[in-house]
């Protein structure tokens, strides 16, 4: 019997197709069809990168200080989000990888302008009504300014149609691996194999940024897997050394 997550099935019932390209080509085709809700489409393509900005800034990697050191970034399971282009604009050398060929074809054609990319940058302002809370402000001009303030030189992006488990197609090493929701409803053995691959592909001091939405039920067991494989939590070690590989895992809900 396949090893299962113990968490309740509400959030974490695995689906067999989650890591299958066919499931995602249907999903992206439907999402891009005219009849689909444009707000939903916008949220998927122009993914917000608040938390990525926070993580990279607090370890001193954003803004990229000079283009001489190539910082290699893997977007593992990039889907059709514009994030690889945002990372390129910031000066990173990005490999955007997905097993779904259609996703790679769609993404490789995007080539968005700065104005379009600015949709990935959200503006938060201190709320007038509730002290200590923040309100989301729709201000495209401000978003563009924030994007441009973080601009780096010499970034690049390449799109690869491949499975991260395939050692011949996806090698590394990478300084950063970002995996956003690409494992969310995978089975536990798949999580373990994938986390192990990410560990292998990271350079010494490398950081896995793992963002998984609405999957709190898996959190503790995934943290156990991360420890079992050797990852050190960034939370406790903001200064990274060459002897370890790090993880920043977060579990937003909404
Ligand atoms: C929920 S989507 C997330 C897409 C993107 N990261 C985002 O946040 O919008 C999951 C993506 O992971 C890809 N994926 C799943 N397993 C994969 C694997 N083993 N190798 C490469 N891509 C994979 C799927 O094809 C799909 O496009």
């Amino acid at each position: 019997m396949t090893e299962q997550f113990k968490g309740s099935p509400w959030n974490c019932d695995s689906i067999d197709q989650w890591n299958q390209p066919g499931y995602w080509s249907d999903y992206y085709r439907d999402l891009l069809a005219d009849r689909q809700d444009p707000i939903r489409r916008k949220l998927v393509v122009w993914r917000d990168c608040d938390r990525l900005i926070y993580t990279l800034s607090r370890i001193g990697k954003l803004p990229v200080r000079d283009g001489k050191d190539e910082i290699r970034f893997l977007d593992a399971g990039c889907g059709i989000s514009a994030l690889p282009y945002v990372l390129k604009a910031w000066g990173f050398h990005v490999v955007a990888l997905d097993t779904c060929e259609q996703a790679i074809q769609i993404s490789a054609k995007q080539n968005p302008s700065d104005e379009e990319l600015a949709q990935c940058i959200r503006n938060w302002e201190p709320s007038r009504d509730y002290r200590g809370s923040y309100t989301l402000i729709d201000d495209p001009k401000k978003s563009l300014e924030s994007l441009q303030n973080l601009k780096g030189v010499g970034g690049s992006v390449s799109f690869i149609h491949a499975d991260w488990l395939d050692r011949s197609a996806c090698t590394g090493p990478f300084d950063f691996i970002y995996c956003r929701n690409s494992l969310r409803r995978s089975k536990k053995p798949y999580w373990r194999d994938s986390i192990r691959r990410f560990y292998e592909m990271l350079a010494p001091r490398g950081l896995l940024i793992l963002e998984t939405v609405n999957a709190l039920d898996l959190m503790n067991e995934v943290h156990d897997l991360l420890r079992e494989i050797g990852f050190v939590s960034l939370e406790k070690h903001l200064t990274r050394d060459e002897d370890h590989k790090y993880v920043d895992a977060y579990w937003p809900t909404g």
Side-chain angles (χ1 to χ4, degrees):
M1 208 181 80
T2 316
E3 186 189 8
Q4 304 276 3
F5 281 114
K6 293 185 197 74
S8 95
W10 188 78
N11 272 333
C12 74
D13 50 335
S14 301
I15 55 168
D16 291 330
Q17 309 97 306
W18 189 259
N19 301 97
Q20 301 299 320
Y23 175 78
W24 291 104
S25 51
D26 290 351
Y27 173 85
Y28 295 127
R29 192 196 52 233
D30 287 351
L31 188 78
L32 294 175
D34 285 344
R35 64 178 183 281
Q36 266 292 344
D37 175 3
I39 294 174
R40 180 161 168 63
R41 186 160 54 223
K42 185 174 168 206
L43 288 174
V44 171
V45 176
W46 310 109
R47 281 268 180 235
D48 80 279
C49 43
D50 294 11
R51 177 61 199 235
L52 204 52
I53 294 176
Y54 168 74
T55 298
L56 293 170
S57 310
R58 74 200 264 259
I59 56 167
K61 291 294 173 188
L62 195 66
V64 175
R65 294 218 166 78
D66 66 61
K68 273 188 257 143
D69 292 335
E70 279 204 2
I71 308 181
R72 298 150 300 181
F73 216 117
L74 174 68
D75 186 353
C78 57
I80 59 167
S81 104
L83 195 81
Y85 291 100
V86 174
L87 293 167
K88 175 192 169 200
W90 289 343
F92 294 102
H93 293 269
V94 186
V95 172
L97 174 134
D98 207 292
T99 37
C100 172
E101 194 172 4
Q102 285 83 345
I104 291 297
Q105 283 168 357
I106 294 164
S107 299
K109 272 198 238 138
Q110 274 178 339
N111 204 16
S113 63
D114 276 6
E115 283 72 15
E116 287 172 308
L117 284 184
Q119 297 175 79
C120 299
I121 315 281
R122 309 282 191 259
N123 297 297
W124 293 95
E125 285 188 356
S127 166
R128 275 192 227 121
D129 308 329
Y130 301 103
R131 219 186 284 164
S133 68
Y134 286 79
T135 309
L136 186 59
I137 306 291
D138 183 24
D139 185 342
K141 224 171 128 202
K142 213 165 165 199
S143 294
L144 182 61
E145 254 172 51
S146 308
L147 177 88
Q148 291 178 334
N149 284 341
L150 294 171
K151 268 227 157 161
V153 282
S156 66
V157 61
S158 51
F159 290 92
I160 301 185
H161 168 221
D163 188 325
W164 61 62
L165 293 176
D166 178 354
R167 287 192 167 75
S168 62
C170 180
T171 49
F174 296 100
D175 304 295
F176 295 98
I177 297 179
Y178 181 52
C179 177
R180 188 192 174 281
N181 256 4
S182 305
L183 282 165
R184 186 159 89 90
R185 293 177 72 185
S186 309
K187 297 202 159 138
K188 191 167 180 177
Y190 203 95
W191 270 91
R192 181 183 283 109
D193 290 348
S194 300
I195 293 172
R196 196 172 280 131
R197 268 299 284 145
F198 296 155
Y199 191 89
E200 272 173 25
M201 288 192 284
L202 276 172
R205 298 178 81 229
L207 175 67
L208 168 65
I209 304 169
L210 185 65
E211 176 175 356
T212 315
V213 181
N214 290 336
L216 278 177
D217 294 4
L218 311 184
M219 184 174 73
N220 291 340
E221 285 173 82
V222 170
H223 279 274
D224 288 345
L225 291 178
L226 289 162
R227 263 191 304 275
E228 170 192 313
I229 285 156
F231 277 103
V232 171
S233 164
L234 184 72
E235 213 46 61
K236 297 181 192 131
H237 300 265
L238 271 185
T239 337
R240 293 170 300 138
D241 65 49
E242 293 281 323
D243 297 328
H244 296 95
K245 298 182 183 182
Y246 297 82
V247 62
D248 183 35
Y250 46 104
W251 305 83
T253 52

